[in-house]
Amino acid sequence: MSEPRREAHPAAPWIRRRGWLGGIAALLVLTGAMAGVAQQTDSTYTARGFDPRLQQGIDLIYNLRFDEADQHFRQVIQTDPGNPVGYFFRAMTGWWRVLVDLDSRSHDQAFYDLLEECIQVCDRRLEQDPMDFDAILFKGGAVGFRGRLRGDRGQYLGAASDGLTSLPLLEKSRELEPTNKDILFGQGIYNYFAEVFPGKYPVVKPVMVLLPSGNRQQGLQQLRQVAAEGRYARAEAAYFLAQIYRVFEEDKTPALQYLAYLHDRYPDNAVFHRNRARTLVDLGRWSEAVPLFEEYVRRSLAGQTGYHLSGRLEALYYLGKNAFRKRRLDEAATAFARLDSLDSRIDRAGDRGYLSLANLFLGMTHDLQGHRDLAVTRYRRVRNLPDQGGSRELAEEYLEKPYSDLR
């Protein structure tokens, strides 16, 4: 029985290597930014200790409640307009607007503008005090995140420049706050990727020779510690561990554990939702994945923030595939046909791979139902769609001889 050669995810990769040149440093400096404030009794905010007021806003960001998060951090800015903390976390709201649909560039400029505003506030404070911890920390974070998005957009020199600017700021923040527990987040990210990236992606070697060497195992240990014991950085560390285990370590079981934790804590985060379901499929746990994909489709149809068309295409594909593998053929045909009906709305090349797979499986479904004429129509359609997981080769095979459970 021939089917697509691999479990393909036609949409954009969950982690994009090109953005990490500037992004490594961005997330290093974010450590301190996510690492909290000694609780204040007045209106002052600082990135030392823990402040539940900032955590409240951060939770809004992770649950993709962007308008509320914007308002929350506007109030922080109004309370303390010369302090970079409110500007930085308002920019992080902009970052998640970008991240939930990274292929879209509709939020890029707004994000860059928010980062620039944060950098300017930091520079004004540094003019008064070159050792201002908050200004050093948040400037490094803002410059680093700018580099990360520049890398995602193919602006490699700008990304590298931002990354190299961020690293000394990180080192200075470490010197000023050496006992900060969550600083391990940044150290862990750097240690892991500084060792892994040059071997996996040789294109980054010329830049990485300018930076300190890393330690993969130490990085993993540090990130695990932050995920278990951190304050502001706990969720971010868990997210990166999920990415690392899923993509780089190719160990889906711990990846799922972190994604389940994140999705349970932030049930409205479409990124955590989608990747938890996807990882369950990778592990063969279809009975747990199917309800998550069904819920994703419902939320997407309702227009909930972050539940975009790309995710709905993926969800419909897996719902159809699950029905097909159980030979619930009418249900499979319905799901694949629903996916194909969205053709006119799909304007991204990566998403069109789902059309290829849907039409291939729809043809296979029709063959099993005894509807050869309908099957042939679908196989011919695959010829004009992107090749995904060997879809065109299989379509040609089934045009010559109908698909059958006996093959």
Side-chain angles (χ1 to χ4, degrees):
M1 178 172 61
S2 298
E3 294 186 10
R5 289 190 294 269
R6 60 185 176 83
E7 190 60 74
H9 303 303
W14 192 24
I15 297 182
R16 296 161 177 262
R17 65 173 175 84
R18 62 183 186 269
W20 286 81
L21 195 55
I24 289 175
L27 290 154
L28 305 178
V29 184
L30 177 62
T31 299
M34 301 294 285
V37 205
Q39 188 166 347
Q40 303 297 309
T41 57
D42 55 26
S43 60
T44 302
Y45 295 86
T46 176
R48 287 173 161 156
F50 179 76
D51 190 330
R53 300 170 297 178
L54 295 181
Q55 185 62 58
Q56 180 183 354
I58 291 167
D59 287 342
L60 290 172
I61 295 174
Y62 279 126
N63 266 319
L64 310 189
R65 294 161 62 180
F66 295 139
D67 291 342
E68 293 175 69
D70 277 337
Q71 181 59 33
H72 184 89
F73 289 113
R74 284 195 194 97
Q75 291 176 353
V76 172
I77 292 169
Q78 290 171 1
T79 301
D80 199 357
N83 192 325
V85 62
Y87 299 92
F88 180 83
F89 283 114
R90 190 177 171 208
M92 291 306 94
T93 307
W95 167 244
W96 268 91
R97 280 192 169 103
V98 172
L99 190 59
V100 294
D101 192 5
L102 195 56
D103 285 331
S104 171
R105 303 191 178 205
S106 60
H107 297 292
D108 285 16
Q109 191 56 53
F111 177 55
Y112 286 135
D113 291 344
L114 291 169
L115 291 176
E116 183 59 30
E117 188 176 20
C118 178
I119 291 168
Q120 290 177 4
V121 171
C122 291
D123 284 341
R124 287 195 290 269
R125 284 182 57 143
L126 290 170
E127 287 176 1
Q128 299 298 318
D129 179 6
M131 301 300 289
D132 185 313
F133 173 74
D134 295 304
I136 293 170
L137 179 68
F138 291 117
K139 179 176 181 179
V143 171
F145 266 94
R146 184 178 65 192
R148 180 172 181 183
L149 186 54
R150 283 176 169 174
D152 278 322
R153 301 313 187 212
Q155 302 168 16
Y156 305 119
L157 291 178
S161 176
D162 283 339
L164 293 171
T165 298
S166 290
L167 281 172
L169 294 167
L170 169 67
E171 293 299 330
K172 180 58 66 176
S173 69
R174 286 177 182 167
E175 293 172 10
L176 296 173
E177 284 285 313
T179 63
N180 191 320
K181 185 88 170 183
D182 281 356
I183 204 74
L184 290 174
F185 174 56
Q187 293 174 329
I189 289 175
Y190 186 83
N191 274 324
Y192 183 84
F193 285 108
E195 177 177 332
V196 169
F197 257 50
K200 194 172 183 67
Y201 304 116
V203 69
V204 305
K205 286 184 178 179
V207 174
M208 294 305 295
V209 297
L210 304 175
L211 304 174
S213 60
N215 184 313
R216 172 177 161 270
Q217 287 299 330
Q218 184 181 7
L220 285 172
Q221 180 182 358
Q222 290 168 327
L223 287 170
R224 287 194 292 261
Q225 186 174 354
V226 178
E229 304 174 30
R231 290 180 174 175
Y232 288 118
R234 180 176 294 187
E236 201 70 18
Y239 179 48
F240 272 86
L241 281 166
Q243 297 180 66
I244 285 169
Y245 278 114
R246 178 177 169 80
V247 179
F248 294 95
E249 297 293 308
E250 298 183 358
D251 188 351
K252 304 299 194 299
T253 298
L256 178 61
Q257 292 171 352
Y258 288 115
L259 287 167
Y261 158 73
L262 289 166
H263 185 216
D264 289 343
R265 181 174 179 181
Y266 300 108
D268 290 330
N269 189 302
V271 176
F272 302 154
H273 183 162
R274 180 181 182 183
N275 286 288
R276 181 183 190 177
R278 179 186 286 181
T279 306
L280 283 166
V281 167
D282 290 337
L283 290 169
R285 293 165 61 172
W286 286 87
S287 63
E288 297 170 72
V290 165
L292 292 176
F293 281 126
E294 290 173 339
E295 179 63 18
Y296 193 103
V297 172
R298 286 192 289 269
R299 293 185 179 210
S300 177
L301 289 170
Q304 184 168 330
T305 300
Y307 288 81
H308 47 66
L309 181 62
S310 291
R312 195 196 317 171
L313 295 171
E314 181 180 28
L316 287 170
Y317 167 67
Y318 282 120
L319 291 173
K321 185 167 183 180
N322 179 64
F324 180 86
R325 59 188 284 272
K326 293 192 170 187
R327 294 306 186 255
R328 300 199 297 259
L329 299 179
D330 289 344
E331 181 182 333
T334 297
F336 291 131
R338 286 179 68 189
L339 196 166
D340 189 58
S341 71
L342 297 170
D343 183 3
S344 63
R345 297 181 54 188
I346 301 174
D347 56 5
R348 300 176 187 173
D351 288 344
R352 297 193 70 78
Y354 286 118
L355 289 175
S356 305
L357 294 173
N359 277 275
L360 177 65
F361 273 104
L362 196 49
M364 294 157 66
T365 301
H366 288 320
D367 266 339
L368 292 177
Q369 292 173 318
H371 303 316
R372 181 58 180 168
D373 55 338
L374 297 177
V376 168
T377 298
R378 293 298 174 174
Y379 296 140
R380 287 175 175 167
R381 176 156 160 67
V382 173
R383 289 171 166 173
N384 299 315
L385 293 167
D387 186 41
Q388 186 68 42
S391 57
R392 288 181 180 173
E393 179 181 346
L394 288 172
E396 294 298 333
E397 179 182 335
Y398 301 148
L399 280 169
E400 293 180 9
K401 187 174 182 180
Y403 174 81
S404 169
D405 279 331
L406 301 178
R407 302 189 75 184

